[in-house]
Amino acid sequence: FKFCTQEAVMVWTSLSKVKHKNKALRREANYLFAKQDIVVPICDFELQDAASAFPLVFIRHNNSLQFCAVMGLEQGKNLFVDSSGHWVGNIIPSAIRVFPFRAGQLEDGAGAVLLLQSSELIVDRSDGIPFFNDDATESDLLKEYIKLLGNIQRSESIIKKACLTIEEFGLTENFNLKVQGRGNATKNLTGLLRINPAIFDQLDNEKFLELRKVR
């Protein structure tokens, strides 16, 4: 699986009031950047909505357990993004919505908002919604993104603790999905994990309460 657009090899730069004062975000939403993503991380605060829209699974990425939504059944084909870049569906995962921004750190360890400057979503000030007001303060648009980035960071910490506990208790099992293609061709989707219900049902009270503590 290709994990997520933001995990690909990209050059990110710190958002700057000076360097990016005349930059803006395109007014019309376009999600072609996510066309290749068939698994996308899901945050704790969107879990209930996501469960009604996507299959939710675990995968292994960088030797750790990740909680994700499945966006497609074939590598490189996100079924929720059409050929024009429109999102097909009512729920857009935060990992997709926050693009072309991401959270990062400066060399001194301070938090920073990073920007994928090469993204086609970024345009000149006159052609979109500016990142900064005329007085160099953050625009309402940028404030919304910064808030979402903060929520995503908090969720990552929560999800990480939960996944570590799930692994510690040995609750996951591998499973494959068989997809019927054209003609009689069958494709297997591998690399997916789910909760083993038998092992879950056998948890003692102490471990069950520990799962509750990590949400």
Side-chain angles (χ1 to χ4, degrees), residues 53 183 210:
E210 184 63 26

Side-chain angles (χ1 to χ4, degrees), residues 6 43-46 92-103 113 140-156:
Q6 296 197 52
C43 296
D44 70 311
F45 56 82
E46 60 189 350
I92 306 175
S94 296
I96 299 293
R97 287 195 292 124
V98 79
F99 196 82
F101 298 99
R102 73 181 300 178
V113 175
D140 289 341
L141 171 77
L142 184 56
K143 288 179 180 178
E144 290 179 7
Y145 274 94
I146 291 174
K147 181 179 179 181
L148 181 56
L149 283 169
N151 289 337
I152 290 174
Q153 281 191 299
R154 285 188 288 273
S155 173
E156 286 175 347

Side-chain angles (χ1 to χ4, degrees), residues 42-44 67 154-164:
I42 290 297
C43 296
D44 70 311
F67 186 54
R154 285 188 288 273
S155 173
E156 286 175 347
S157 177
I158 292 170
I159 295 292
K160 181 179 180 179
K161 289 179 181 178
C163 285
L164 285 172

Side-chain angles (χ1 to χ4, degrees), residues 126-193:
S126 58
D127 298 325
I129 307 173
F131 297 152
F132 299 100
N133 300 316
D134 292 335
D135 60 359
T137 57
E138 298 164 352
S139 67
D140 289 341
L141 171 77
L142 184 56
K143 288 179 180 178
E144 290 179 7
Y145 274 94
I146 291 174
K147 181 179 179 181
L148 181 56
L149 283 169
N151 289 337
I152 290 174
Q153 281 191 299
R154 285 188 288 273
S155 173
E156 286 175 347
S157 177
I158 292 170
I159 295 292
K160 181 179 180 179
K161 289 179 181 178
C163 285
L164 285 172
T165 304
I166 287 170
E167 283 215 282
E168 179 186 348
F169 294 167
L171 291 176
T172 61
E173 64 178 2
N174 293 307
F175 76 102
N176 298 332
L177 289 178
K178 290 186 177 181
V179 181
Q180 189 70 39
R182 294 180 180 179
N184 294 321
T186 300
K187 295 183 179 181
N188 289 323
L189 290 181
T190 61
L192 305 177
L193 297 101

Side-chain angles (χ1 to χ4, degrees), residues 5-80:
T5 295
Q6 296 197 52
E7 290 294 311
V9 178
M10 297 178 177
V11 179
W12 296 82
T13 184
S14 296
L15 182 64
S16 166
K17 291 182 179 181
V18 176
K19 187 177 180 180
H20 302 110
K21 65 178 181 179
N22 292 320
K23 292 299 180 180
L25 194 70
R26 283 179 54 169
R27 295 184 183 277
E28 64 278 7
N30 189 291
Y31 299 97
L32 281 177
F33 65 87
K35 186 62 178 173
Q36 301 295 313
D37 300 335
I38 64 170
V39 284
V40 174
I42 290 297
C43 296
D44 70 311
F45 56 82
E46 60 189 350
L47 174 56
Q48 186 169 354
D49 289 336
S52 68
F54 316 111
L56 302 181
V57 301
F58 297 93
I59 68 169
R60 279 194 197 289
H61 180 70
N62 292 336
N63 296 319
S64 63
L65 199 64
Q66 306 284 340
F67 186 54
C68 302
V70 177
M71 302 274 127
L73 300 175
E74 294 183 71
Q75 190 70 44
K77 294 184 179 180
N78 187 334
L79 297 177
F80 289 86

